[in-house]
Amino acid sequence: MDKLKILSGNACFLVKNTSDTMSRKDFEGYLKGEGFAEFRKYGWKDRGCFDINVNSMRFSAGVSKPAKLAQTIVGEGIKNPFTIDEFRAIWNILKTHIGDLDQRDEITKGCSLFLVCDEMLNESSNEFIDYLDGENFNALSDDSYGGRGIVAVNVKSMIYSKGRMADVMASTFVGDSSTCALSVDEFRTVWDIIKKHREDCSLEALLRQCEEFDDLYKVIECCDRVFEIEPGNIQALYYKALVLFDQKKYDEALDLAERAIRIH
């Protein structure tokens, strides 16, 4: 697993510009009142959404081709933008932890990373790590435990570090006091909103996850989800057979291989 994946993504949210509770004009006023400045470098085109970067504190009502410019916090493949109410709920948490930012005229800044700090994280095995594993995050490989009570979680690459990498990022971004890190409860609130906009259950996404996961059990889980959509998917049969073979479950692996051959 490429360690740099934990720094992937962007600090930009794609947000609908109207809601039942706030008009577009009102929301633009709200953003300016919260300290965001308008960004218009690449021209303007009304797409019905705002691009809002919580790192550079910039927003745009209509950046052309936003995926190439901003990508957004959950990547280019999100199903739908965040609602205004969802963004405000996230921002109300994030703004209490923001320190000194380099507010340059950019909307493609930051990464999809959250730092989480809690006393329970001083222990290598704890409830929060179990929670991340249950939410299908992957632990960064070859990343020994740091023991400073900080975990770094990337919501785009779905990777977390509780070791040296988190240690480095804590020193770089929040300092030893960790005043800019979220609590466990705050992260869970933010993630409950974000994950609705990044989950992609398409065959292509699930098969891609089969290739990316290092955890063999998660590969099997992804393959089984593929079979729910397409029972005879040859790629998933191939991936699962390889995992079962690696686990020395030779008879089960052979059965899947023979099934794939019959279908092919």
Side-chain angles (χ1 to χ4, degrees):
M1 181 187 296
D2 183 358
K3 287 191 175 183
L4 290 179
K5 283 186 177 181
I6 201 166
L7 294 174
S8 67
N10 196 284
C12 188
F13 288 79
L14 186 63
V15 183
K16 294 178 183 177
N17 63 21
T18 57
S19 74
D20 294 334
T21 58
M22 188 175 286
S23 68
R24 169 181 167 161
K25 184 176 180 180
D26 290 339
F27 184 50
E28 191 167 341
Y30 162 80
L31 291 173
K32 291 178 179 178
E34 291 291 307
F36 290 89
E38 190 170 11
F39 175 88
R40 285 202 176 201
K41 182 177 180 181
Y42 293 97
W44 192 91
K45 180 180 180 182
D46 185 4
R47 296 177 295 103
C49 296
F50 284 99
D51 293 284
I52 307 169
N53 191 300
V54 297
N55 188 300
S56 61
M57 296 290 289
R58 294 291 181 267
F59 77 92
S60 172
V63 174
S64 180
K65 296 182 180 179
K68 291 185 178 180
L69 292 174
Q71 292 187 341
T72 81
I73 194 164
V74 287
E76 298 178 12
I78 60 173
K79 291 183 177 181
N80 54 289
F82 293 80
T83 67
I84 286 176
D85 293 337
E86 286 175 328
F87 174 78
R88 291 181 69 180
I90 292 173
W91 174 243
N92 283 338
I93 292 173
L94 298 185
K95 70 180 181 182
T96 63
H97 297 280
I98 287 181
D100 297 326
L101 297 176
D102 180 14
Q103 295 181 326
R104 291 179 291 171
D105 187 27
E106 294 181 11
I107 204 164
T108 58
K109 199 165 181 283
C111 59
S112 305
L113 185 76
F114 291 90
L115 290 169
V116 183
C117 181
D118 198 287
E119 286 186 7
M120 75 164 70
L121 303 181
N122 288 314
E123 301 295 331
S124 179
S125 298
N126 56 72
E127 184 181 324
F128 183 62
I129 298 303
D130 292 341
Y131 164 78
L132 291 177
D133 291 338
E135 292 290 307
N136 293 319
F137 285 91
N138 284 312
L140 191 64
S141 57
D142 302 320
D143 186 40
S144 61
Y145 181 60
R148 288 185 57 194
I150 293 173
V151 172
V153 188
N154 191 301
V155 297
K156 179 177 181 289
S157 60
M158 297 293 289
I159 297 172
Y160 70 86
S161 167
K162 58 181 179 179
R164 291 176 181 173
M165 186 66 78
D167 232 12
V168 169
M169 286 184 281
S171 300
T172 303
F173 294 121
V174 299
D176 292 336
S177 65
S178 305
T179 54
C180 295
L182 306 186
S183 69
V184 165
D185 288 340
E186 286 175 325
F187 174 80
R188 291 179 70 159
T189 298
V190 170
W191 172 241
D192 281 343
I193 298 172
I194 288 178
K195 69 181 179 180
K196 294 184 294 185
H197 298 275
R198 78 165 307 282
E199 287 184 337
D200 187 352
C201 296
S202 67
L203 280 175
E204 293 78 11
L206 290 170
L207 290 169
R208 187 168 59 249
Q209 289 177 31
C210 289
E211 297 176 353
E212 294 173 352
F213 279 148
D214 292 331
D215 187 322
L216 298 182
Y217 293 99
K218 288 187 176 180
V219 174
I220 289 177
E221 180 182 319
C222 266
C223 289
D224 288 340
R225 291 175 66 189
V226 170
F227 296 146
E228 291 175 6
I229 302 171
E230 186 180 305
N233 186 279
I234 291 178
Q235 261 187 288
L237 289 169
Y238 168 74
Y239 290 137
K240 189 170 182 178
L242 287 178
V243 171
L244 292 172
F245 185 85
D246 196 59
Q247 294 176 330
K248 302 188 185 324
K249 297 179 180 179
Y250 301 121
D251 289 338
E252 292 179 50
L254 183 59
D255 286 343
L256 288 180
E258 290 177 342
R259 182 180 168 193
I261 289 171
R262 286 196 303 270
I263 293 172
H264 184 69

